[in-house]
Amino acid sequence: MGALIWLASYPKSGNTWMRSFLHNLFRGTEEPVHINEIADFCLGESSAHWYAARAGKPVSDLTEEELARLRPIVHRDFTTVFPDSVFVKTHNYLGEWCGVPLHSMDVTAGGIYVLRNPLDVVISVSHHFNKSIDESIEHLANEDTVAGDMETHVLEVHRSWSTHVRSWTQHPSPQLLVVRYEDLLHKPRKYFKQVANFLGLKPAPARLERAIRNSSFRALKNMEQKSGFKERPKEAESFFREGRSEQWREVLTPEQVRRIIADHHEQMERFGYIPEDYRDAVPVKAEPSNATG
């Protein structure tokens, strides 16, 4: 039996990229591992077939409470897939749902959390879920956000972007590595090496470089264009769209930028996501009163 290593993120923040990098790193092949083979390496926490097998019926027939009670059982089933570490993708926030933890810590060894600037996330969410930018801004701020078609995927509990980020990062732990999408993008050798070292790996420089190259945005997009990607939602034209940072400067209006900052300024401040030219959009904290009554 193995212990779970969660690969966690808010949707459209780099989870697939991280999974592809690790798959290529462990395989060590000259050619890129195909994106449709990711599931052979990393399990999906919300994949419905695990829950249906345990319930003995389609997950669409389960109540939310029944589904929540199944989660810890399914997580224990995950530990039987590989003898050592078992990587599991999750978009759930780190908390409870229907009174049951969304991640079972008694079978967990650790986790990697990838976060991305919400100013760019909102654009990717817009394309991924076929929403307008304004609808996507509301989506990121919605504490009731859940996703899942209850046929191929059970419900995922995302909450807002800020709640998601806070839940995973507010209590630093040596068992959890937090990494920014932008750092992986701009300094891949440094930060992907950090990921490998966190997992106890010391890959040769050539192997690390090859894994980075084989999981690059260009490589992933080429594979999707040639043979498709089974994780692409039906409403999206493509899963891998641009993969750049700072897209928001070309897409969002100043008013939209200010709305996002107003919604998420606390976590954006923590991770260096407040643009210098929008510092005035950060709400001013009220000074404590010195009145004695």
Side-chain angles (χ1 to χ4, degrees), residues 132-153:
S132 70
I133 292 294
D134 287 331
E135 288 172 333
S136 299
I137 291 173
E138 293 175 2
H139 181 100
L140 261 68
N142 186 357
E143 294 295 349
D144 297 322
T145 297
V146 296
D149 56 23
M150 292 301 284
E151 293 183 6
T152 60
H153 292 84

Side-chain angles (χ1 to χ4, degrees), residues 94-140:
L94 187 60
E96 294 187 350
W97 184 55
C98 296
V100 180
L102 288 160
H103 304 86
S104 303
M105 292 303 158
D106 58 328
V107 293
T108 292
I112 298 171
Y113 185 75
V114 185
L115 77 155
R116 185 184 185 190
N117 191 335
L119 295 171
D120 283 329
V121 171
V122 76
I123 300 170
S124 290
V125 164
S126 173
H127 287 273
H128 190 77
F129 294 109
N130 194 25
K131 295 174 178 281
S132 70
I133 292 294
D134 287 331
E135 288 172 333
S136 299
I137 291 173
E138 293 175 2
H139 181 100
L140 261 68

Side-chain angles (χ1 to χ4, degrees), residues 2-291:
L4 308 186
I5 298 178
W6 299 102
L7 301 182
S9 70
Y10 188 86
K12 306 309 296 177
S13 298
N15 200 303
T16 302
W17 184 18
M18 179 61 69
R19 288 182 288 148
S20 178
F21 164 73
L22 290 174
H23 201 178
N24 278 282
L25 182 65
F26 278 100
R27 284 280 187 89
T29 55
E30 290 295 328
E31 296 299 315
V33 179
H34 199 279
I35 50 175
N36 284 327
E37 296 178 17
I38 288 178
D40 299 337
F41 160 77
C42 179
L43 307 181
E45 195 281 334
S46 65
S47 295
H49 68 90
W50 290 95
Y51 298 83
R54 272 295 182 178
K57 57 183 177 181
V59 294
S60 56
D61 293 341
L62 299 174
T63 66
E64 291 185 354
E65 289 74 15
E66 288 173 330
L67 180 59
R69 289 196 294 270
L70 273 179
R71 260 198 165 92
I73 300 171
V74 168
H75 294 169
R76 288 181 179 82
D77 289 343
F78 289 164
T79 67
T80 67
V81 176
F82 301 114
D84 299 315
S85 299
V86 181
F87 290 93
V88 184
K89 166 196 171 183
T90 179
H91 285 317
N92 288 315
Y93 90 112
L94 187 60
E96 294 187 350
W97 184 55
C98 296
V100 180
L102 288 160
H103 304 86
S104 303
M105 292 303 158
D106 58 328
V107 293
T108 292
I112 298 171
Y113 185 75
V114 185
L115 77 155
R116 185 184 185 190
N117 191 335
L119 295 171
D120 283 329
V121 171
V122 76
I123 300 170
S124 290
V125 164
S126 173
H127 287 273
H128 190 77
F129 294 109
N130 194 25
K131 295 174 178 281
S132 70
I133 292 294
D134 287 331
E135 288 172 333
S136 299
I137 291 173
E138 293 175 2
H139 181 100
L140 261 68
N142 186 357
E143 294 295 349
D144 297 322
T145 297
V146 296
D149 56 23
M150 292 301 284
E151 293 183 6
T152 60
H153 292 84
V154 301
L155 291 179
E156 298 176 341
V157 186
H158 301 162
R159 305 298 190 205
S160 69
W161 181 87
S162 286
T163 293
H164 200 288
V165 172
R166 183 187 303 110
S167 72
W168 279 96
T169 66
Q170 64 184 334
H171 300 300
S173 167
Q175 279 73 50
L176 177 69
L177 176 66
V178 178
V179 61
R180 301 192 322 161
Y181 178 99
E182 295 77 15
D183 292 331
L184 294 171
L185 190 65
H186 299 303
K187 296 183 179 180
R189 293 172 186 82
K190 176 180 178 178
Y191 287 97
F192 277 119
K193 182 179 180 181
Q194 184 183 53
V195 170
N197 292 346
F198 170 76
L199 296 171
L201 306 174
K202 294 183 179 180
R207 183 167 185 154
L208 180 68
E209 290 282 348
R210 187 165 59 246
I212 292 172
R213 182 176 65 252
N214 286 345
S215 61
S216 68
F217 181 82
R218 177 180 295 180
L220 298 177
K221 189 173 182 66
N222 285 342
M223 282 186 275
E224 181 184 20
Q225 290 175 337
K226 289 180 179 179
S227 52
F229 183 32
K230 58 187 179 183
E231 293 185 21
R232 178 184 66 83
K234 295 177 181 179
E235 58 269 25
E237 292 185 9
S238 63
F239 189 94
F240 302 101
R241 198 176 52 85
E242 291 196 31
R244 295 185 293 118
S245 64
E246 299 278 307
Q247 296 175 53
W248 63 269
R249 290 194 177 275
E250 305 162 13
V251 178
L252 303 184
T253 67
E255 189 273 336
Q256 289 169 333
V257 172
R258 291 176 183 278
R259 282 174 57 195
I260 295 169
I261 293 173
D263 289 338
H264 306 291
H265 60 91
E266 182 179 338
Q267 299 307 314
M268 291 180 72
E269 189 78 77
R270 287 183 62 208
F271 291 99
Y273 288 143
I274 305 288
E276 285 301 319
D277 48 338
Y278 281 92
R279 296 298 310 179
D280 63 333
V282 178
V284 177
K285 292 183 179 179
E287 292 294 332
S289 174
N290 293 321

